[in-house]
């Protein structure tokens, strides 16, 4: 039943004041252990969709269910979702580990070094945990922000364009991080406007254009073996 499925979205829509329909009747589901890419050009509605998933904005219609529980029903499902938005701030003079321990404490949970170490390990920062964040590269900072979202190993990890601004080697490392996370049986939803990136990082993809789903399925079904898209984003 639905209680076994990490994420089921049905008929989701968002109309902003002023009349923009940013998300229009979006439906898809994600199974445990999947890395799902939300792909589409700027303005397609990816960020709006993910912000509804993170519980930051209310949908105009439709439902989001996490293990069968509706978000916004008052059920504490949001605690099962970890999220990343660009530009998380860290204290540059403290180590990566100290930053995450502070963050963990700030969320009101009892100190837990094991969770922090686990998240840093998955994020590929095991060797840098004691270095000051000031000395981290952009890719390392972004992986530290992902580690922060992974604290406590949430069932569902929601990441909005985590590879923005990264170079290919850093993108490669980010991909390894998401794969490692999904291999623990948890689920990752990640947005991107780059087809090649989704192809390399994700096993499933939902393609959005102008707020609507235009294609979805396994990456190899949606993307041709040559790496060229087999779908058209400009709808008839
Ligand atoms: P990007 O990669 O540029 O963030 P996106 O696919 O994430 O694009 P959204 O940011 O969700 O797309 O935007 C979808 C549509 O909603 C766009 O037309 C955008 O202008 C509009 N929009 C987004 N946020 C708001 C807002 N707060 N108020 C009004 N319109 C908005």
């Amino acid at each position: 039943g639905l209680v076994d499925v990490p994420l089921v979205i049905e008929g989701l829509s968002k109309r902003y004041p002023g009349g923009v329909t940013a998300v229009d009747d979006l439906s898809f589901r994600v199974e445990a252990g999947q890395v799902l890419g939300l792909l589409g050009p700027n303005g397609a509605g990816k960020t709006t969709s993910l912000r509804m998933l993170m519980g930051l904005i209310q949908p105009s219609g439709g439902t989001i269910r996490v293990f069968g529980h509706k978000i916004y029903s008052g059920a504490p499902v949001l605690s099962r979702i970890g999220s990343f938005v660009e530009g998380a701030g860290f204290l540059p003079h403290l180590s990566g580990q100290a930053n995450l321990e502070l963050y963990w404490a700030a969320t009101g949970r009892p100190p837990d070094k094991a969770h922090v170490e686990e998240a840093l390990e998955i994020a590929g920062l095991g060797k840098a945990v004691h270095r000051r964040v000031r000395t981290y590269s952009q890719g390392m900072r972004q992986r530290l922000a992902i580690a922060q979202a992974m604290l406590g190993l949430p069932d569902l990890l929601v990441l909005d364009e985590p590879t923005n601004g990264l170079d290919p080697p850093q993108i490669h490392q980010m991909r390894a991080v998401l794969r490692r996370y999904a291999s623990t049986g948890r689920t990752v939803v990640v947005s991107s406007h780059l087809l090649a990136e989704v192809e390399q990082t994700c096993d499933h993809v939902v393609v959005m254009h102008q707020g609507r789903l235009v294609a979805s399925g396994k990456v190899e079904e949606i993307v041709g073996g040559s790496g060229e898209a087999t779908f058209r984003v400009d709808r008839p």
Side-chain angles (χ1 to χ4, degrees), residues 21-114:
T21 300
V23 177
D24 190 0
D25 197 21
L26 184 67
S27 301
F28 64 87
R29 62 193 277 163
V30 192
E31 309 289 339
Q34 285 183 357
V35 179
L36 177 104
L38 206 51
L39 174 68
N42 287 346
K46 306 179 300 292
T47 296
T48 300
S49 302
L50 295 187
R51 286 175 65 83
M52 290 191 276
L53 251 174
M54 296 170 188
L56 296 176
I57 55 172
Q58 291 252 12
S60 310
T63 55
I64 302 170
R65 282 193 183 82
V66 175
F67 293 105
H69 295 286
K70 283 186 196 170
I71 294 190
Y72 304 106
S73 65
V77 291
L78 285 175
S79 65
R80 301 179 74 166
I81 305 176
S83 55
F84 159 88
V85 283
E86 230 183 310
F90 294 107
L91 297 171
H93 58 289
L94 293 183
S95 70
Q97 181 166 338
N99 266 280
L100 291 202
E101 283 171 3
L102 264 180
Y103 178 83
W104 179 268
T107 62
R109 292 175 280 194
D112 191 331
K113 283 190 188 299

Side-chain angles (χ1 to χ4, degrees), residues 137-182:
S137 67
Q138 173 75 9
M140 290 167 76
R141 280 170 207 235
Q142 251 154 270
R143 281 185 281 124
L144 185 61
I146 305 283
Q148 181 170 293
M150 286 173 180
L151 284 174
L153 303 182
D155 296 295
L156 182 61
L157 194 60
V158 180
L159 311 170
D160 195 5
E161 306 240 10
T163 54
N164 244 1
L166 301 188
D167 61 25
Q170 291 168 338
I171 291 172
H172 189 81
Q173 282 171 320
M174 185 66 78
R175 174 189 323 152
V177 172
L178 303 190
R179 289 268 175 217
R180 271 200 292 278
Y181 198 76

Side-chain angles (χ1 to χ4, degrees), residues 1-19:
L2 282 185
V3 290
D4 299 322
V5 187
L7 179 64
V8 180
I9 289 178
E10 272 171 349
L12 190 66
S13 65
K14 178 67 184 180
R15 233 169 304 105
Y16 284 112

